[in-house]
Amino acid sequence: MSYTLKWLKCALVRAFKTVAQTAAATIGTGAMLSEVNWRAVLSASLLSGLLSLLTSLAGLPEVNDP
């Protein structure tokens, strides 16, 4: 599989969505905004984005191989 610009765009969109979902879930664990552990939110969100990109290396269904 050649990693084209289309693949990169699709992989980054997926990673961004994953980061946003993880941040929303992690922020939701605090009862009040002042109780949110922002370092943990950032750490978990960035890690999930990295894992999403690594998973995308196996292939993306929206990127068709010729």
Side-chain angles (χ1 to χ4, degrees):
M1 169 199 241
S2 66
Y3 298 102
T4 63
L5 190 58
K6 181 178 180 181
W7 177 89
L8 181 61
K9 180 182 175 188
C10 291
L12 289 175
V13 166
R14 279 180 173 236
F16 180 77
K17 288 179 180 180
T18 302
V19 167
Q21 291 168 345
T22 303
T26 309
I27 290 169
T29 61
M32 296 178 58
L33 198 56
S34 62
E35 296 177 359
V36 174
N37 183 342
W38 293 104
R39 186 172 283 179
V41 170
L42 181 63
S43 176
S45 299
L46 291 177
L47 180 59
S48 68
L50 176 63
L51 293 174
S52 175
L53 287 173
L54 291 174
T55 303
S56 293
L57 290 174
L60 295 172
E62 59 267 35
V63 179
N64 296 326
D65 286 345

